[in-house]
Amino acid sequence: RKRWIVIKVLLVGVHAYPSLLSTLQLWLTFAPVADKTAAYFHISLEMVNWLSIVYLLISIPFGLVSTWVLDSVGLRCAVILSAWLNMMGSIIRMFGILKFLSLGSQSYWYLFIGQCLCALAQPLIIFSPTKLAALWFPDHQRAKANMIASMSNPLGVLIANVLSPALVPEGKHIPLMLGVYAVPAVTACALATVGIHEKVPPTPPSASATTSTSQPFLMNLKMLLRNKPYIILAVCFGGGIGTFTCFSALLEQILCEKGYSNEFAGLNGALFTVCGLLGAFLLSLYVDRTRKFTESTKICFCLSALASIVFAVVSSPLHQAITLAITSSLFGFFGFAIYPIAMELAVECSYPVGEGTSTGLIFVASQIEGVILMILLQAFTVRVSEDPSSTCALDQDGALDWTTPVLVLAGLCSAMACFYVIFFHTDYKRLHAETNSGDLVKAEDTATANVPEA
């Protein structure tokens, strides 16, 4: 028994580490220092933003492939493949800053190709927490296990927001940042390849674990598309993930135009994530005890929408540093708290569909909505060439004013929260199936015990 507990811990740890890198190394490497990246590579801020947007675009088609890999090939292969893709992508990015290659304007495309490879890794690892929790943990530990694995991505956001500004006080330090981020990618690949040996435990931890991959992939998709509560959850929660994606990727650009430094933007991103980790931990403990998935997500969704409205209001005036920090903290606390619980709720309302497929389709929806949001928000920006209060390192076209886009983002977040609260209702199908299975086993044991011996 102790051996399998150790393997559980190792599997969660090795799963979480590449997942952290997926966000830390590629998706948000450049976002906290977008202005300095644009100046160093002599490109526009829009081109820097495309280093984040490509993550969303590639994850849409490859997300469907990832759901099939998780539910048909297995969790172990998905984690190892994602680690290798992350390592190769981070190494390719290094080619863009090697002086002896004399790439000139072509250096940006090495960054872009590296981003594309790591974008392939992202859905493989992000889809897997619910699969990991279902295969390796009993029902009273699933929400906590899901939280630990899922929150490695926000932890990656935290590290990127703190580390990137610290490594790049000036644009000339961009190569140092890329080198620092390449080292843990190689380490993560070694950990995943060597550390994971077992696909499943010898004894299923719950009744639902035995049917985790029982349905064919196409049948799973048909069942999900006919499931009204699941569709509502996918649209609303996917939109929530898209909102947080935009907020994390654009935070530095939003704040620097208002006179705040990259270090302060990184601090806000760090508070956003740390408080989110705390919220996710506390809510997962509560839900594991009470099973109130729906009520918890509805309350937190509404409170995170309220925090987004406050952020939109206080980010417009100057000299609101303390209020911005508090608002970012609350936005993260309530917003990130929803993530692991909503993933578990997706499995509950779609059972017996495989966990990889049910969570994967939500992530694909979030990527589609994230792409639309990123393009929409950039369309509402206003170009500012001269602003004495701005701390942005201007590219050749000047900085961007994000006042209107932030208000639009808050409005969309509030609309999704209202729609979710009003229209989402579901039964907990997996818990009911496990309860019925447990009752059946007890009845069989009782009947066996009452049979008189010959």
Side-chain angles (χ1 to χ4, degrees):
R1 183 178 179 182
K2 289 182 179 179
R3 174 175 174 267
W4 287 107
I5 291 174
V6 171
I7 291 176
K8 280 185 182 182
V9 173
L10 180 63
L11 189 60
V12 172
V14 174
H15 167 276
Y17 192 52
S19 177
L20 181 152
L21 291 171
S22 177
T23 299
L24 172 132
Q25 289 202 340
L26 281 236
W27 179 46
L28 283 184
T29 297
F30 304 106
V33 288
D35 52 343
K36 293 180 175 63
T37 301
Y40 181 83
F41 288 103
H42 305 291
I43 56 178
S44 66
L45 284 172
E46 285 84 356
M47 293 181 74
V48 176
N49 289 338
W50 272 102
L51 296 175
S52 299
I53 296 174
V54 71
Y55 247 61
L56 310 181
L57 287 174
I58 288 181
S59 295
I60 294 169
F62 194 69
L64 296 176
V65 178
S66 299
T67 60
W68 174 82
V69 170
L70 275 168
D71 281 338
S72 300
V73 180
L75 178 64
R76 178 177 177 270
C77 291
V79 173
I80 292 175
L81 177 59
S82 70
W84 276 90
L85 287 169
N86 265 329
M87 182 188 71
M88 290 188 295
S90 64
I91 291 174
I92 288 174
R93 288 194 314 169
M94 295 289 295
F95 293 162
I97 47 90
L98 295 177
K99 298 289 186 182
F100 66 86
L101 293 178
S102 301
L103 295 172
S105 61
Q106 300 299 317
S107 58
Y108 170 79
W109 296 107
Y110 282 87
L111 298 180
F112 193 81
I113 292 170
Q115 295 288 91
C116 291
L117 279 177
C118 282
L120 293 174
Q122 187 189 43
L124 285 168
I125 205 70
I126 288 183
F127 293 5
S128 54
T130 51
K131 174 68 71 175
L132 173 69
L135 290 178
W136 286 85
F137 294 86
D139 61 334
H140 64 280
Q141 296 177 353
R142 280 197 297 249
K144 288 191 287 290
N146 196 358
M147 181 273 299
I148 292 171
S150 298
M151 288 300 103
S152 57
N153 267 298
L155 186 57
V157 175
L158 166 64
I159 295 175
N161 275 300
V162 173
L163 193 57
S164 289
L167 290 173
V168 188
E170 298 178 13
K172 65 182 180 181
H173 295 107
I174 293 287
L176 171 64
M177 178 182 69
L178 293 177
V180 168
Y181 285 156
V183 173
V186 177
T187 307
C189 185
L191 279 175
T193 304
V194 177
I196 304 178
H197 300 287
E198 309 292 340
K199 293 183 177 180
V200 293
T203 303
S206 64
S208 63
T210 60
T211 60
S212 180
T213 57
S214 61
Q215 301 288 342
F217 177 68
L218 291 179
M219 185 179 294
N220 281 342
L221 286 180
K222 290 179 181 179
M223 292 173 66
L224 291 178
L225 294 175
R226 295 171 182 171
N227 187 329
K228 181 180 176 181
Y230 178 83
I231 294 298
I232 294 173
L233 180 65
V235 171
C236 295
F237 180 54
I241 297 176
T243 299
F244 278 71
T245 297
C246 293
F247 184 83
S248 299
L250 301 173
L251 183 59
E252 184 270 338
Q253 296 177 55
I254 293 170
L255 294 181
C256 78
E257 198 278 324
K258 301 300 181 183
Y260 300 102
S261 66
N262 284 0
E263 288 73 20
F264 178 74
L267 174 62
N268 270 263
L271 290 171
F272 174 69
T273 307
V274 168
C275 292
L277 292 170
L278 176 61
F281 174 72
L282 295 176
L283 191 63
S284 65
L285 292 178
Y286 173 76
V287 170
D288 261 341
R289 295 180 59 184
T290 64
R291 301 291 191 268
K292 293 184 177 180
F293 296 93
T294 303
E295 296 87 345
S296 300
T297 53
K298 286 185 176 181
I299 292 172
C300 286
F301 209 154
C302 290
L303 292 174
S304 64
L306 181 61
S308 71
I309 294 172
V310 176
F311 181 88
V313 173
V314 300
S315 64
S316 183
L318 303 177
H319 312 301
Q320 298 290 328
I322 295 176
T323 309
L324 277 172
I326 294 173
T327 306
S328 297
S329 302
L330 292 175
F331 193 24
F333 183 86
F334 295 114
F336 275 122
I338 304 171
Y339 186 89
I341 308 306
M343 288 300 188
E344 285 292 305
L345 187 56
V347 177
E348 293 293 341
C349 74
S350 62
Y351 185 82
V353 172
E355 296 83 6
T357 305
S358 60
T359 56
L361 200 61
I362 287 182
F363 186 76
V364 171
S366 75
Q367 303 302 78
I368 295 173
E369 293 177 74
V371 170
I372 295 171
L373 280 173
M374 286 283 281
I375 295 174
L376 178 66
L377 295 180
Q378 288 190 88
F380 280 106
T381 57
V382 177
R383 182 69 62 179
V384 180
S385 56
E386 294 290 339
D387 188 347
S389 65
S390 174
T391 61
C392 300
L394 300 182
D395 64 5
Q396 61 266 37
D397 298 320
L400 297 173
D401 183 358
W402 291 85
T403 302
T404 301
V406 172
L407 290 170
V408 171
L409 191 66
L412 291 173
C413 185
S414 302
M416 286 184 290
C418 292
F419 186 84
Y420 179 72
V421 169
I422 295 170
F423 294 105
F424 181 79
H425 306 282
T426 188
D427 294 324
Y428 303 150
K429 298 178 182 178
R430 181 173 62 175
L431 286 176
H432 291 166
E434 289 176 344
T435 301
N436 293 336
S437 177
D439 292 342
L440 180 61
V441 171
K442 289 180 181 179
E444 290 176 351
D445 291 342
T446 303
T448 302
N450 291 334
V451 173
E453 295 184 1

